[in-house]
Amino acid sequence: MSTPAGRAPTIIEVAARAGVSKSLASRALRGERGVADETRRRIHVAAAELGYRINSAARSLARGQSGIVGIVLNDIGNPHFTGVVAGAEAEARERGLRTIIGHGAGSAPDLARQIETMLELRVDGIVVVSSWAPREVLEHAAQLTPVAVVARLDEPPESLDMIASDDAHGARAATEHLLAIGCRHIAYVTRSTSVTSAARGRGVRTAIEQVGLELAEYRVGPEDDEEIERILRSGVDGVLANNDLTATEILRVARERGIDVPGDIALVGYDDTPLARIVSPALTSVNQPQRAMGRRAIECISERRDGRTDPERAWYEPTLLVRGSTFRR
């Protein structure tokens, strides 16, 4: 079957070419579940051969929905955030939804602007991967569309869902590991003043105080190698960084200044991003299930669209993965 010149092919023609029903062809092209892989492939091939394109605008008008979910993230350069986005995109694709991404660039005003842009685009929901977004902005957005925040918030509004990891528990486990390998002068080093970083700091402090020691806490700026070296030469023998990006910077400065990791200082990162596995020595790091958290955010958006009104508070328990940066013979 071929399409007459000058006329766009229809879903009926795609179905006929693929040898399936119209409804099955439609489901496959929308990315819905329940279609066998080989059948889905055959339908997509038929659509490509005929030049068929889904009329998203018409479908949105008919359903009163855009079929698009906005994802606003804090730092596109941090693998933790991109891991959450990858999970959200995968779940959205399986549900026949599309995603658009807004970058908040580590700034509360920029995050607010990105959220406002998503509202202007009339998305079916917004996933915010950051604890920096202003509360009033989140509350306003949640009045207009489902909002799921993948980050720790203090007293999150009832109108939105929160998906987070137990940061205090993860940091405490990391600190207990440093104590177990003999560290007695432990520092928490962060580049952030976020709620998440503060929770991790509390976890470190809890573990340190339980054994009668004192915690050294430092906040460093970007590219502040001199401050990092000063910390490393201050007598500390164990360091927990607020994330893997900060930990890899500490590792680089240590190597450049002749400080051995883990011989002189044991080092732990947080988030267990791909960075933790590709540096040398590989980073001991606290794992957060980024993809699972991203998937849950899209599930929450869909549940809200289907009528759920009770707030979801999904907590994920982090786990410590021990690697070379804390391995002492």
Side-chain angles (χ1 to χ4, degrees), residues 30-322:
R30 290 198 303 267
E32 294 182 5
R33 298 175 179 176
V35 181
D37 290 343
E38 175 57 29
T39 303
R40 189 186 302 276
R41 186 197 67 79
R42 192 166 73 250
I43 292 168
H44 277 277
V45 168
E49 290 174 348
L50 290 172
Y52 177 80
R53 296 289 182 273
I54 295 176
N55 189 335
S56 298
R59 187 174 59 151
S60 297
L61 285 172
R63 297 167 56 195
Q65 298 178 7
S66 68
I68 300 173
V69 174
I71 304 176
V72 177
L73 68 160
N74 191 56
D75 181 2
I76 204 168
N78 187 327
H80 166 68
F81 294 106
T82 54
V84 174
V85 171
E89 288 185 325
E91 184 68 26
R93 186 165 51 249
E94 292 174 11
R95 291 174 177 270
L97 300 169
R98 292 174 296 164
T99 57
I100 52 176
I101 295 174
H103 183 207
S107 160
D110 283 345
L111 284 163
R113 281 192 288 271
Q114 293 290 353
I115 292 170
E116 183 61 34
T117 296
M118 298 299 175
L119 294 174
E120 292 172 357
L121 294 172
R122 299 184 181 277
V123 295
D124 287 345
I126 303 174
V127 176
V128 180
V129 194
S130 173
S131 61
W132 283 102
R135 182 184 180 92
E136 64 274 12
V137 172
L138 293 174
E139 289 180 322
H140 171 68
Q143 293 174 359
L144 303 173
T145 193
V147 174
V149 176
V150 185
R152 185 189 186 99
L153 300 177
D154 283 338
E155 298 181 359
E158 294 287 300
S159 57
L160 58 79
D161 298 324
M162 185 182 76
I163 299 94
S165 175
D166 189 341
D167 297 292
H169 174 83
R172 180 175 177 175
T175 307
E176 289 172 347
H177 168 66
L178 290 173
L179 291 168
I181 63 174
C183 296
R184 289 299 178 268
H185 303 284
I186 296 173
Y188 176 57
V189 181
T190 181
R191 284 183 170 162
S192 175
T193 58
S194 70
V195 173
T196 298
S197 179
R200 293 173 186 176
R202 287 195 299 273
V204 181
R205 194 176 306 109
T206 298
I208 290 291
E209 291 177 350
Q210 281 191 339
V211 295
L213 299 175
E214 292 186 4
L215 170 66
E217 294 186 65
Y218 301 93
R219 187 157 66 91
V220 299
E223 301 179 5
D224 196 346
D225 290 7
E226 297 306 317
E227 175 64 9
I228 291 174
E229 182 180 10
R230 187 183 72 79
I231 294 168
L232 295 178
R233 296 196 186 282
S234 68
V236 301
D237 55 6
V239 172
L240 172 64
N242 71 300
N243 60 32
D244 286 349
L245 282 175
T246 302
T248 55
E249 285 296 298
I250 293 171
L251 182 61
R252 176 185 60 79
V253 172
R255 179 177 293 130
E256 291 175 355
R257 309 300 166 91
I259 300 169
D260 183 63
V261 175
D264 297 323
I265 296 175
L267 177 63
V268 181
Y270 207 109
D271 294 333
D272 191 36
T273 64
L275 281 175
R277 298 183 289 278
I278 64 176
V279 297
S280 180
L283 276 175
T284 294
S285 188
V286 181
N287 175 271
Q288 295 191 84
Q290 290 109 347
R291 288 178 176 264
M293 294 163 73
R295 281 184 173 274
R296 183 64 188 128
I298 295 297
E299 290 174 354
C300 285
I301 295 294
S302 295
E303 290 167 5
R304 288 273 188 176
R305 299 292 304 187
D306 290 340
R308 175 173 59 78
T309 57
D310 294 337
E312 168 73 354
R313 303 290 181 256
W315 287 98
Y316 288 79
E317 184 170 321
T319 55
L320 182 70
L321 297 180
V322 178

